[in-house]
Amino acid sequence: MAKIIDGKKIAEEIKEELKKEVLVLAKKKIVPSLLVILVGEDNASQIYVKNKERVAKEIGIDSQVMKLSTATSQEDLEEIILQYNADEKIHGILVQLPLPDSIDVKRIISLIDPKKDVDCFHPENVGRMMIDDARFLPCTPAGVLELLKRSNISVEGKNIVIVGRSNIVGKPLAVMLINLGATVTVCNSKTKNLKEICAQAEILVSATGKAGLICADMIKKDAIVIDVGINRNAEGKLVGDVDYIRACDKVSCITPVPGGVGPMTIMMLMRNTILAAKNQANQ
Ligand code: GUN
């Protein structure tokens, strides 16, 4: 029988740990604070931002959401970021993606003070991660590592295949796993012989956003499968990238969607915000 890795339960455990950290900081008169900037009306983004606000409140993190219209100019958004970079009361700044097409995303991310970059998207923070001197870890990949760690799954020396090469998940996760001594292969949905490569993996991670891409015959027997995909199927139901029902007969451990990696991402953001507050207090 496959063991289901319960991301919701593990995220709740981390939430309790973070609440305690916030109480310790409160004794030093430090309240971690997060500014989330949401530009435009993207439906999924609005839900994500609401969830971030809710969880922050539950933990005792002071969070503010700044909602800006789709018509916000590059200059105005840059001005806002500079203003909050200089604001000592704000420890973390997150610009929710995607941004409207009129905005230069790379420029915006590069403008966030790296010390406040709780997403770990700033080139300086990405570079530091590359040389194994991370200031922050990006939230979704960090959530994947934490799920493995808390399920007593070691990655050192393991053959790990990642399907997906995005800047948010696939690429940083590969770097983090390399830093931990794993042997990492990064594929994407167009990789030749994807099935054969995936079938070699002791740990298979999929982060493509393509429902059903990973079939049971692509999975090695007793592999560990981490499904980062969040997709809606034809019936409107949330599903991952993996054919979950069939995969369950083959794997040793698997994450469900929903209730796997998703709840961890938000908790890692909260962990980064607390870390940012601690670092800034120690400056
Ligand atoms: N949009 C989808 N995922 C993310 C994320 O991790 N951070 C931000 N800022 N925007 C996102």
Side-chain angles (χ1 to χ4, degrees), residues 45 48 52 94-98 119 121 139-140 168 265:
S45 289
Y48 292 147
K52 287 170 186 171
L94 178 149
V95 178
Q96 187 66 31
L97 303 181
D119 259 329
F121 288 171
C139 302
T140 301
I168 294 187
T265 296

Side-chain angles (χ1 to χ4, degrees), residues 162-166 169-170 173 205-210 226-229 241:
I162 301 170
V163 189
R165 55 176 184 94
S166 70
V169 187
L173 179 60
V205 182
S206 186
T208 67
K210 291 187 170 42
I226 307 291
D227 193 346
V228 187
D241 295 349

Side-chain angles (χ1 to χ4, degrees), residues 8-137:
K8 213 169 151 192
K9 179 162 160 254
I10 295 173
E12 285 298 320
E13 286 166 17
I14 297 171
K15 192 204 275 177
E16 295 309 313
E17 294 166 16
L18 295 180
K19 278 184 189 171
K20 288 186 191 136
E21 283 191 45
V22 168
L23 288 176
V24 172
L25 287 175
K27 294 203 178 102
K28 301 180 196 164
K29 303 264 182 291
I30 300 163
V31 181
S33 66
L34 172 67
L35 173 72
V36 177
I37 302 175
L38 174 63
V39 187
E41 307 289 329
D42 184 80
N43 275 339
S45 289
Q46 294 191 25
I47 296 169
Y48 292 147
V49 166
K50 237 189 210 130
N51 284 337
K52 287 170 186 171
E53 211 179 359
R54 175 177 53 79
V55 176
K57 200 167 175 191
E58 286 167 6
I59 293 175
I61 291 172
D62 183 20
S63 83
Q64 301 175 41
V65 177
M66 176 176 278
K67 290 189 177 157
L68 300 171
S69 91
T70 314
T72 304
S73 71
Q74 178 83 27
E75 294 71 28
D76 286 351
L77 186 53
E78 289 184 7
E79 191 56 44
I80 289 166
I81 288 170
L82 292 177
Q83 180 194 331
Y84 285 99
N85 277 348
D87 184 343
E88 286 181 6
K89 292 187 293 299
I90 298 291
H91 303 115
I93 300 174
L94 178 149
V95 178
Q96 187 66 31
L97 303 181
L99 286 170
D101 291 343
S102 55
I103 304 278
D104 180 344
V105 183
K106 288 200 173 90
R107 223 184 115 92
I108 294 296
I109 287 172
S110 301
L111 214 59
I112 298 173
D113 180 342
K115 296 186 197 72
K116 299 190 177 188
D117 170 39
V118 285
D119 259 329
C120 194
F121 288 171
H122 189 286
E124 178 183 313
N125 288 329
V126 177
R128 284 183 61 156
M129 193 172 48
M130 281 294 283
I131 58 167
D132 203 3
D133 183 30
R135 174 188 274 132
F136 298 112
L137 292 174

